[in-house]
Amino acid sequence: MTTKPSIPPGLASDFTPPPLSASGSTPRFGRDEAPPDGLQTELRHQIGLLMNRETFYCEFGEFNVHYMPPSPEESDFQFVIDWLLERGHMESRETASLEGLAPYILTGCKITPVDAKRAYLSQIQTNSTIDKVDEGTLFAFLETLVGAILEALTAAEHTRGNDFSLRLCPNNRLGSDKIDACATKRMKGKLRVTDIAVPFEFKIYESDKMQRPDLLVKVLVSFFCATEAELGYNPHISYLGDEGYLYEFPQGPNRSQARYFKTTQSVTECRGLRLAGRSTRVWKVLEVQSKTNRKKKLGSEEMIVKDVWIDANAESEAEIQRRVVSDIGQFADQRNWWKHPLLEHINSGLAAELFKLLKNGRFKKLFLTAIEEHSGEGSKDVAEKAWLTKDIFLKRSLVPIEPGPTTQRLPPVREQKGQDTGPQRFTRPKDPPYRSFSPKRRWFFAYNEVCHRLSDLPTLGDAMDVLRQNHLVLLLMFCAGWVHRDISTGNILAILQPKGWSVRLSDLEFAKKFPPETPASFDPKIGTLFFMAYEVHSGATMYNKVGEHTLPFGRPDKGNTVSLVIPPFDENAMDSDDDDVPEHNPSRVDDDDEDDDDDSYVDSYAGDNMSVYDGPDNDDTKAVGLESNDGAIEVDDDGSGSDKDVVTSNVNKQGVIYNLQHDVESEWWIIIYLITMCVGHAPSIEVGTTIFQELPQPSIERRDNLRFGLQSQLKQSLHHKLKAFLQPLEALRNEMVTAYLRRAPDQVSDLSTYSIPITWPLRFFNEMNTSRSLWGSMPLQGPKATLSPPGQNLSEEEEVTSYCRYRKQEKKVFRGE
C-alpha cells in the first residue's frame, strides 16, 4: 500500500498530485550547403574539394570482392567468354603466355585507346585525313559488346541478366554535367538522372598499360546480372515520374499489412555539396491504397514521411524518443519530483505548469511521434585495405565555397592542368580521430501531424510562444537525465491547435543521457552550426580558474550585479503604428484535453527578476583574460575518461562534454537568429550573416557576441521594434557566460550547477511580454526576403505593407531556409 505524495509547496490545496508507481558526444559538422541559385558548373570544384576527404581508393580485387554485386559462378562466366569468342567479339591472344598480357583481345578495340589517341595526334600534325578519336569513338564498341553479353546471359542455364542495358550518351547532358554511358532501362528518348542505374565515364590515360578484357567482361557481367537492390535501388521506394515517389512500409511483426504513402511536396531537401549532406528527405504525403492502385485511401489526410540514414548500430530516433518519454514518465512518478536538484530555484507557478504537463502523460504530445517506422539493410563499411588520397578529385589549393546563408554566386575556378600521376597513398589510421565512415542504415518514419518549422510560423510572437513551450519540454528532458543536442529552428516544430500554436520537439537522434553513459562515435553527425553552443562549436571550454573567485555561480552576487527590471516601453515615443495589435494571451502548452477540469493558465515564471552586469566597463567576463582569440582546436566532447586534449590559446585544455546549458544556449542563438535573419530587415540580415555561418570554427562575430556582450553592430542593426530584446538577451547572456566561467571540469556532472541557468530563459520570456505589443505581430520571413534598406524613404506604413507582401508572395520560398 502506498500513500499519496505531498502537494508541492505553494500550490492550491486541491491540486492533484502525480500518481505513484512501483559521457561524451559525437562531433558534428555543417551541411556545406550550396547557394540556392549557384550553377552546377560553378560548384563542381567545391564539391570535389569536400569529397576529397570522403572518398577512398582500393585495388580492383578488393573492390570487386567487397563492393561489387556478387560475381557469377566461374562456369557461367566461362560460358559468357566462350559465347563472345564464338561470335567474334573476342579473340585469343597468341602471345598470352607472356607475363602481363591478357589471354584475350577485344576485337572492337585491338588498338589500345592510348595508342589510338597517340596515332591520331601524330597524323593531325602531318595533316593526314583521319577520323576524330575521343572517348566516344574509342569506346563505342562497348554497346555491341554488352548486347552480346546480355544474349549470353539469356542463353545461360544458371545466370540470368536483369532488365538493364548499356546506353552510350556522350552528348546527352544531365543538367550541367554529362557522362559517357550508363546502365539503364531507358534506351530511347531524353535521358534523366533517375533513369541511370550505373554511370560510366571513359578516360584515356598514358599510364594505363595493362589491358585485361576478361576483367572488363567480369565487371559487366556482374552489373547486368545484379538485382536492383544490389545496384542500390531501395525495394520500398518507387519512382513515379512527375507524380513523385511512393514509400512502402512493408508488412512485418509490428504491421499486419503494408502501408503506402505517395509524396506530394518536398518539405526539407538540402542542396548539399557533399553526398552525406543529402542523406535526409522530409516529404508531405498521402496514404494510397496499394503499390499499383495509387488512389487516395479513404479518410487519408496529409501526413509526413521522413527518410533518413543513421549509423547501422545506433538507435533510431523513434527508439531514443521512447526511452526519453519513458524516463520522463518515471520522473513524473517520483515522490516530490519538484525537489529535483535542477528545480531548486523554480517557483510555485512553474511547478504548477510542469505538473500539468506531467499529469496523465500530457507531455508525450509535445514530441513529434512517428506512427510508423521501417529500417532497411545496413550499408557496407570501408574495405579493410582501402586508402585515402589527398586529391582524388581536385587539388586542395582551389578556392573554397563561401559559407553562410547568402546567395552570392562564386566565380568559376579554373581546372588545374597537368598529367595525372595516379592516386598518392597515405596510410589510413586504424582509429581515425575524426571520422570512421561507419556503416549506415536507412530508416523511414511516418507522422500524422504536419507541422511548421519555428522560423516558418506567421509572426515573431508565435515563434516566441513556441520557443517558450519548447524550453518547458527541455526542462522535463533535463530532469529525466537527457540532453537534446540538436536544438535548431528546423527541429522545433509547431502545429496549430484551437487554442494556438503547440510545440512538437523533433529529431531526437542526437539525444543522449546526461551525464554520458557511452563513449562518443568518431563518425560526425551533420547538422546546422548556426545554433550550436559556442563551447561545442569551438571545442574549447570557457572555464577559467580566475573566475572561481571573482564571478558568482549560484544566485547573483548583488555586489557585482544590479537588478534589472525592464520598464514598459513607451509606444508613443517609439512612434508605433501598432494600435490595433490585439491583446496577447500567454501561450499554453497544448492544454486542450476536454476532460481536464482545470484549464486555467498560470502565467508565472521561475525565480526573481533578471540581473545583468553594470556594463562593459565592469564586465567581469573581460577581467579573466578571455579577450584573446582561440587557437586551433580539436572537438573532443567524449565525456569523462577521454584521453584527448583540446589545443587552445588562453582557454583551459579540457574536452567539451555536452551538457544541459548547451541546449539552453542554442535557444539564445535561435532568438538572435529570429530577430536578425527572419524579419525582413536588411541591416540586421547583413549583420546576422556574419554571425550565422557554416564554418568549422565559430566566426569572430559569433564569439564576441556571446563572450563579450552583444556588439554595437548587432544592436544598431536591429529593427526599431526589436530594440526591446537587447537588455533581456544581454541579461541571459551574462548568466550563461558566468556559469560557463565558473563551472570547473569536475563540476560538469553536478546538476545543482545548472539549476539557475536552465530557468533563466523563462525569466527572459516573462520580461519580453512587457513589450510584446511592439514586436509580437511582426511577420517572420526568410533571410532572402529583405526590405528596402534605409535611405529609400519608406514610410512605416509602406514598410508594414512590404512585410505582408513578401510573406504572401514568397511563403513557399522560405520553407527550408
Side-chain angles (χ1 to χ4, degrees):
M1 181 176 179
T2 58
T3 59
K4 292 184 178 181
S6 58
I7 299 174
L11 297 188
S13 59
D14 61 349
F15 192 78
T16 306
L20 288 175
S21 70
S23 299
S25 300
T26 302
R28 277 170 277 173
F29 53 66
R31 290 185 175 89
D32 296 303
E33 294 187 43
D37 57 350
L39 297 178
Q40 190 73 11
T41 51
E42 298 175 355
L43 299 174
R44 60 176 54 169
H45 293 85
Q46 282 71 37
I47 293 172
L49 287 171
L50 291 170
M51 291 303 296
N52 272 343
R53 69 186 79 163
E54 297 187 349
T55 308
F56 291 80
Y57 270 102
C58 63
E59 301 291 351
F60 172 77
E62 180 87 356
F63 184 89
N64 186 50
V65 171
H66 192 74
Y67 294 108
M68 287 285 289
S71 297
E73 297 292 335
E74 187 63 32
S75 58
D76 293 325
F77 173 65
Q78 188 59 48
F79 177 86
V80 174
I81 293 292
D82 292 341
W83 182 280
L84 297 178
L85 289 170
E86 291 173 4
R87 285 154 180 78
H89 298 286
M90 296 180 71
E91 297 177 4
S92 296
R93 186 192 296 269
E94 296 179 359
T95 56
S97 59
L98 296 178
E99 184 177 358
L101 293 179
Y104 307 108
I105 299 174
L106 293 173
T107 56
C109 190
K110 289 185 177 181
I111 302 177
T112 67
V114 171
D115 292 337
K117 186 67 174 284
R118 185 183 297 114
Y120 168 69
L121 296 176
S122 175
Q123 294 188 44
I124 286 180
Q125 295 176 355
T126 60
N127 295 322
S128 301
T129 302
I130 186 172
D131 292 335
K132 182 180 180 181
V133 173
D134 55 19
E135 284 87 353
T137 57
L138 289 174
F139 294 96
F141 75 94
L142 287 176
E143 194 168 42
T144 303
L145 177 66
V146 170
I149 291 175
L150 295 178
E151 291 176 359
L153 294 175
T154 302
E157 294 184 3
H158 306 292
T159 302
R160 291 290 183 271
N162 51 38
D163 295 330
F164 293 93
S165 298
L166 183 75
R167 175 176 173 178
L168 298 178
C169 51
N171 300 315
N172 193 324
R173 300 193 70 85
L174 303 166
S176 59
D177 293 316
K178 68 182 186 70
I179 56 178
D180 293 316
C182 64
T184 181
K185 295 180 182 179
R186 188 181 183 88
M187 297 303 293
K188 294 181 179 180
K190 183 178 180 181
L191 194 65
R192 302 165 299 189
V193 173
T194 51
D195 298 321
I196 299 172
V198 181
F200 289 81
E201 182 79 9
F202 304 138
K203 294 295 180 184
I204 305 170
Y205 290 122
E206 182 70 26
S207 58
D208 290 345
K209 297 297 184 183
M210 180 175 289
Q211 306 298 314
R212 295 298 304 272
D214 53 334
L215 291 183
L216 174 62
V217 172
K218 180 169 287 190
V219 169
L220 293 174
V221 168
S222 294
F223 280 144
F224 292 103
C225 286
T227 65
E228 291 195 359
E230 290 169 344
L231 290 176
Y233 288 91
N234 191 301
H236 302 299
I237 302 178
S238 301
Y239 177 59
L240 307 179
D242 294 338
E243 292 185 61
Y245 294 88
L246 185 72
Y247 279 81
E248 175 190 10
F249 287 70
Q251 181 181 3
N254 301 320
R255 194 176 303 109
S256 59
Q257 59 183 7
R259 299 183 68 177
Y260 301 90
F261 300 91
K262 187 168 77 71
T263 63
T264 60
Q265 180 183 341
S266 174
V267 177
T268 298
E269 187 170 2
C270 169
R271 189 187 180 193
L273 292 169
R274 63 174 83 228
L275 289 179
R278 303 186 178 203
S279 59
T280 299
R281 298 286 189 273
V282 180
W283 303 93
K284 286 184 179 180
V285 298
L286 285 174
E287 187 170 7
V288 297
Q289 298 186 25
S290 70
K291 197 168 189 176
T292 55
N293 184 356
R294 297 193 289 272
K295 291 184 179 180
K296 176 183 173 183
K297 196 171 183 179
L298 184 63
S300 173
E301 300 291 338
E302 195 170 54
M303 299 173 61
I304 291 291
V305 163
K306 180 179 179 180
D307 178 355
V308 63
W309 290 82
I310 65 173
D311 286 354
N313 59 354
E315 292 180 291
S316 73
E317 176 186 347
E319 292 169 333
I320 294 174
Q321 181 172 312
R322 283 191 283 269
R323 291 181 59 197
V324 171
V325 168
S326 175
D327 288 350
I328 295 177
Q330 293 181 32
F331 166 72
D333 290 342
Q334 293 177 9
R335 182 186 296 273
N336 300 334
W337 55 259
W338 50 88
K339 293 184 179 180
H340 190 283
L342 288 175
L343 303 180
E344 178 183 358
H345 295 109
I346 69 170
N347 60 20
S348 59
L350 180 57
E353 195 167 2
L354 292 177
F355 180 85
K356 293 184 72 174
L357 293 181
L358 295 173
K359 181 181 178 182
N360 299 326
R362 184 178 298 171
F363 66 88
K364 298 176 183 178
K365 297 190 302 181
L366 307 182
F367 294 95
L368 185 64
T369 304
I371 62 169
E372 294 284 2
E373 57 186 277
H374 169 72
S375 67
E377 298 294 327
S379 64
K380 296 180 182 294
D381 58 0
V382 176
E384 182 179 357
K385 296 181 180 179
W387 72 91
L388 288 169
T389 179
K390 295 181 180 179
D391 50 10
I392 183 172
F393 291 114
L394 299 168
K395 305 298 182 183
R396 292 182 178 270
S397 59
L398 296 180
V399 179
I401 190 168
E402 291 283 348
T406 65
T407 59
Q408 179 180 358
R409 187 167 293 166
L410 300 173
V413 183
R414 293 186 178 180
E415 185 174 356
Q416 295 187 0
K417 302 295 183 181
Q419 183 172 335
D420 183 7
T421 58
Q424 303 299 309
R425 283 183 186 241
F426 70 91
T427 304
R428 178 165 62 98
K430 293 182 179 179
D431 297 313
Y434 179 56
R435 187 166 188 186
S436 60
F437 294 92
S438 60
K440 306 295 181 183
R441 185 183 299 276
R442 194 171 196 170
W443 283 83
F444 303 157
F445 300 100
Y447 307 88
N448 60 7
E449 292 184 313
V450 179
C451 301
H452 299 268
R453 294 162 58 103
L454 181 74
S455 53
D456 286 339
L457 294 180
T459 68
L460 181 57
D462 295 329
M464 294 293 285
D465 289 343
V466 171
L467 194 57
R468 181 187 182 277
Q469 296 174 34
N470 178 78
H471 189 73
L472 295 180
V473 182
L474 287 181
L475 280 181
L476 296 180
M477 287 185 63
F478 296 163
C479 291
W482 287 87
V483 283
H484 187 280
R485 299 177 65 245
D486 193 23
I487 296 297
S488 70
T489 57
N491 294 340
I492 301 175
L493 307 177
I495 187 169
L496 188 60
Q497 303 280 21
K499 298 180 181 180
W501 290 98
S502 177
V503 73
R504 294 293 185 269
L505 183 57
S506 69
D507 288 359
L508 271 70
E509 59 191 271
F510 295 166
K512 277 195 173 183
K513 294 288 289 185
F514 179 81
E517 294 178 335
T518 58
S521 165
F522 281 113
D523 216 20
K525 301 295 187 294
I526 298 175
T528 178
L529 301 177
F530 288 4
F531 315 114
M532 190 178 292
Y534 177 81
E535 286 191 338
V536 179
H537 193 175
S538 67
T541 62
M542 294 172 62
Y543 163 70
N544 192 293
K545 290 184 177 181
V546 178
E548 291 181 357
H549 309 291
T550 61
L551 295 174
F553 188 80
R555 290 187 176 276
D557 184 346
K558 299 302 180 183
N560 289 341
T561 63
V562 294
S563 178
L564 170 65
V565 180
I566 300 179
F569 282 80
D570 185 349
E571 297 185 13
N572 294 325
M574 296 293 291
D575 217 4
S576 172
D577 61 352
D578 289 319
D579 295 337
D580 296 330
V581 175
E583 183 178 353
H584 168 60
N585 293 320
S587 66
R588 58 206 301 146
V589 184
D590 201 15
D591 189 14
D592 58 356
D593 287 357
E594 295 181 358
D595 60 347
D596 189 358
D597 295 330
D598 180 13
D599 272 345
S600 62
Y601 176 79
V602 183
D603 190 19
S604 56
Y605 296 74
D608 305 320
N609 289 328
M610 293 196 291
S611 301
V612 294
Y613 296 101
D614 287 327
D617 294 337
N618 296 322
D619 189 349
D620 286 331
T621 63
K622 292 184 177 180
V624 293
L626 292 181
E627 293 97 331
S628 59
N629 295 342
D630 292 345
I633 59 177
E634 173 187 346
V635 174
D636 170 29
D637 53 354
D638 288 0
S640 58
S642 174
D643 59 357
K644 299 181 291 301
D645 286 336
V646 177
V647 181
T648 64
S649 172
N650 290 339
V651 179
N652 197 40
K653 294 183 179 180
Q654 296 290 336
V656 177
I657 299 176
Y658 198 103
N659 59 61
L660 314 181
Q661 192 174 327
H662 293 142
D663 277 349
V664 175
E665 184 186 330
S666 292
E667 294 179 304
W668 186 80
W669 287 114
I670 286 175
I671 296 169
I672 294 179
Y673 181 81
L674 291 175
I675 66 174
T676 58
M677 304 292 289
C678 298
V679 293
H681 188 54
S684 61
I685 290 177
E686 183 177 357
V687 173
T689 300
T690 67
I691 299 173
F692 300 103
Q693 298 189 18
E694 292 275 350
L695 295 173
Q697 294 296 311
S699 64
I700 294 176
E701 292 78 7
R702 182 175 171 85
R703 178 203 66 184
D704 291 352
N705 276 284
L706 175 71
R707 287 170 55 174
F708 308 134
L710 297 178
Q711 300 295 289
S712 59
Q713 297 93 331
L714 173 62
K715 295 178 181 179
Q716 295 168 7
S717 72
L718 287 185
H719 191 283
H720 66 87
K721 295 180 181 180
L722 301 177
K723 302 291 185 180
F725 278 80
L726 291 174
Q727 283 183 308
L729 280 172
E730 181 63 27
L732 180 54
R733 184 206 70 83
N734 270 299
E735 177 69 14
M736 291 191 301
V737 172
T738 298
Y740 281 136
L741 293 172
R742 293 299 311 275
R743 187 177 293 112
D746 59 359
Q747 292 180 301
V748 170
S749 298
D750 182 356
L751 296 182
S752 66
T753 67
Y754 302 96
S755 60
I756 288 181
I758 66 171
T759 59
W760 270 61
L762 296 174
R763 308 178 199 183
F764 167 85
F765 292 118
N766 188 34
E767 296 289 350
M768 291 311 304
N769 274 335
T770 63
S771 60
R772 188 185 179 99
S773 60
L774 283 177
W775 51 264
S777 62
M778 290 185 68
L780 290 182
Q781 308 179 45
K784 290 199 303 180
T786 58
L787 296 178
S788 299
Q792 299 210 358
N793 301 319
L794 277 183
S795 67
E796 192 140 317
E797 181 178 356
E798 291 171 330
E799 184 177 276
V800 172
T801 302
S802 182
Y803 276 132
C804 299
R805 183 177 65 250
Y806 273 115
R807 183 66 188 178
K808 183 177 180 180
Q809 295 178 349
E810 299 192 302
K811 186 175 181 180
K812 291 183 179 180
V813 178
F814 305 144
R815 302 296 183 190
E817 285 287 349

